Structure formats: C-alpha cells, structure tokens
C-alpha cells in the first residue's frame, strides 16, 4: 500500500477526474500515476504535493501538515469511494446511466481526509533549549483540548541535559508542556532563569520564593524569588526513544 498514492486517488476521485486528466496536469505518465495509486511505485512528497496543487488542492488548506502526516493520521479506507463491481455482461444505456449515478453518489465530498485530520489531530512543535522548533509530533485533540489546554498553546520541550535524571527525564527526552505562568507545587515545570530555559521540579516555600530541584548524579536545589523567574509551562508527559 502507498499512503501518498491513496491520497492522490482519494482527491482525484473526489474531483471526478480520470487518471489521464490528472497525469496530464501533473506532468507524469498515466501508467506511472496508476502504479502510484495502486502502491506499485513510490512517489516523493513534493511531487505528490505538486500534483495535488495542480488538481486544485490549495497549499494553505494543509494547516502545516505534511502529506505523510495526513496519510498516517487518516484512515483513507473510510473516506475513499469504493470501485463499483463491473458486471460480466455488456451494459445497456440505462444500466450505464444508473452506474454513473451510483459512482457520483459514492464520490467523497469536501476535502474529507484533511477535514478529518484537522478536527482530531494537532501538529505540536518540538522546541529545543533556545525555543527553536526542531521537530513536531501529531497529538489527538479531545473535546477541543490537549491535556486540558488549548491545542495551539501546548508544545514539546526537548531536555537539553541529564539534570533531571533523578526525576526520570534524560537528555533528548520530549516533555509535553501545557501553559502555566505560576508555580505549581510539586510539578516539573519549564522555567526561564537568567536567560536560560530548563526543567525543574518546583516546591513552593512561601508567597515570594520557590525551590528549584534537579537531580543528575546527586540531588541539588536552588532557592529563587518569584520575580527572578518566568514559568513557561508545566510538564505533563515525557516521551523517549528506544533507539
């Protein structure tokens, strides 16, 4: 199976276009396009994107997703029209007209695979220690929220070192951060201090001071006053790679 081939076929059928029409617009052979749709040949993302634009898919409708993101997140079998079974005998004019109506009714209306993706998934950025985006992950949106927060406010922070090893966060682990501008007692939070950003476990001492705790080879803690700190969010989940 080819995920990009499935996308091309779904959008082609949605627009009621033939293989020949799409191949001509995309500058490829009809045979090549047929093989791509059937999963017999591989097509690059940029070439698939170019063909989709040629048949009318607007770039700004993709909401920042790559075509592989879309293909991986949406079950195209649930949105692609099914091919009608060809009868073994020659069609009469009435039968042909009836089949044409059937095929028309089976076409997917609207950018269904894109609509389905943007309504249930969110492209969440991964930031490094200088808050530069270095990657992204797709996360499900439940009741309009991710971990109880607005989807456009959450992000991943890649741990820059092993300073939180004792709290089970190692270098390059990804922490999902939800917004929180105030210290949360007992939480691991993303903190900005002296123009540096790092993860620390927070303990409230009083109304004006907190203890920032770390644990690499040994436990360490630093008392800081709230005016010196900026809290960027609370870590609610950690992901790590097995490779």
């Amino acid at each position: 199976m080819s995920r990009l081939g499935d996308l091309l076929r779904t959008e082609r059928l949605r627009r009621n276009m033939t293989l020949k029409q799409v191949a001509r617009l995309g500058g490829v052979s009809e045979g090549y396009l047929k093989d791509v749709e059937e999963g017999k040949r591989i097509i690059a993302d940029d070439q698939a994107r170019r063909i989709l634009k040629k048949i009318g898919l607007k770039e700004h409708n993709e909401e920042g997703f790559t075509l592989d993101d879309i293909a991986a997140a949406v079950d195209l079998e649930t949105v692609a029209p099914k091919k009608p079974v060809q009868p073994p005998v020659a069609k009469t004019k009435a039968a042909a007209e009836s089949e044409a109506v059937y095929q028309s009714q089976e076409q997917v209306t609207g950018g269904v695979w894109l609509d389905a993706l943007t309504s249930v998934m969110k492209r969440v950025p991964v930031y490094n220690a200088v808050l530069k985006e270095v990657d992204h992950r797709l996360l499900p949106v439940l009741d309009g929220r991710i971990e109880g927060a607005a989807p456009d406010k959450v992000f991943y922070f890649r741990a820059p070192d092993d300073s939180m090893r004792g709290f089970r966060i190692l270098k390059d682990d990804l922490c999902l951060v939800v917004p929180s501008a105030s210290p949360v007692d007992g939480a691991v939070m993303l903190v900005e201090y002296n123009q540096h950003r790092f993860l620390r476990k927070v303990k409230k001492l009083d109304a004006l001071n907190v203890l920032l705790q770390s644990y690499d080879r040994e436990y360490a803690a630093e008392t800081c006053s709230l005016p010196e700190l900026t809290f960027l969010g609370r870590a609610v989940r950690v992901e790590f790679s097995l490779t």
Side-chain angles (χ1 to χ4, degrees):
M1 294 294 290
S2 167
R3 296 183 306 189
L4 295 185
D6 286 343
L7 282 176
L8 286 166
R9 176 177 175 271
T10 299
E11 286 301 309
R12 177 177 66 78
L13 294 177
R14 185 170 72 83
R15 289 165 171 78
N16 199 25
M17 299 178 70
T18 65
L19 277 167
K20 181 179 290 186
Q21 289 172 323
V22 175
R24 185 182 298 118
L25 286 172
V28 297
S29 70
E30 184 178 349
Y32 171 78
L33 185 60
K34 183 175 184 293
D35 285 348
V36 168
E37 288 191 1
E38 293 177 352
K40 297 177 182 178
R41 300 186 69 170
I42 302 299
I43 187 171
D45 184 278
D46 57 348
Q47 187 178 26
R49 189 184 300 275
R50 178 174 58 80
I51 293 173
L52 287 168
K53 285 182 68 177
K54 288 289 187 180
I55 65 176
L57 182 68
K58 295 185 178 176
E59 187 78 16
H60 69 270
N61 283 341
E62 293 179 18
E63 301 290 345
F65 296 105
T66 68
L67 296 186
D68 266 330
D69 287 340
I70 296 167
V74 178
D75 183 3
L76 291 168
E77 290 298 317
T78 66
V79 302
K82 306 300 182 184
K83 293 181 178 178
V85 177
Q86 298 295 329
V89 296
K91 307 185 191 77
T92 65
K93 181 178 179 181
E97 290 175 351
S98 175
E99 182 178 314
V101 171
Y102 170 78
Q103 286 180 316
S104 177
Q105 291 173 340
E106 287 294 297
Q107 301 307 310
V108 182
T109 58
V112 64
W113 51 267
L114 182 59
D115 294 340
L117 179 67
T118 54
S119 65
V120 299
M121 303 294 290
K122 172 66 178 175
R123 186 183 189 276
V124 178
V126 176
Y127 294 133
N128 61 15
V130 295
L131 297 186
K132 177 182 178 182
E133 183 174 348
V134 293
D135 201 354
H136 72 273
R137 293 287 187 275
L138 289 179
L139 287 183
V141 178
L142 303 176
D143 296 325
R145 317 288 281 181
I146 295 178
E147 296 288 346
D152 60 342
K153 299 296 183 182
V154 303
F155 60 91
Y156 281 99
F157 180 75
R158 176 171 287 166
D161 51 41
D162 287 329
S163 62
M164 295 293 284
R165 170 198 306 269
F167 299 108
R168 297 186 296 178
I169 301 174
L170 302 179
K171 181 180 179 182
D172 292 330
D173 284 354
L174 301 182
C175 293
L176 182 63
V177 177
V178 300
S180 180
S182 301
V184 178
D185 193 40
V188 173
M189 303 194 70
L190 179 58
V191 181
E192 185 170 328
Y193 179 52
N194 288 337
Q195 298 184 333
H196 293 283
R197 285 153 291 275
F198 44 76
L199 296 164
R200 290 294 183 266
K201 188 170 184 179
V202 174
K203 179 177 177 58
K204 289 184 178 180
L205 298 177
D206 52 44
L208 293 177
N209 297 283
V210 296
L211 194 67
L212 299 183
Q213 305 169 84
S214 60
Y215 202 136
D216 189 350
R217 301 294 178 183
E218 57 185 28
Y219 174 80
E222 183 178 3
T223 300
C224 301
S225 65
L226 291 179
E228 298 177 307
L229 304 172
T230 299
F231 292 94
L232 302 178
R234 175 173 58 92
V236 296
R237 192 163 75 207
V238 179
E239 299 179 13
F240 61 91
S241 174
L242 294 176
T243 57

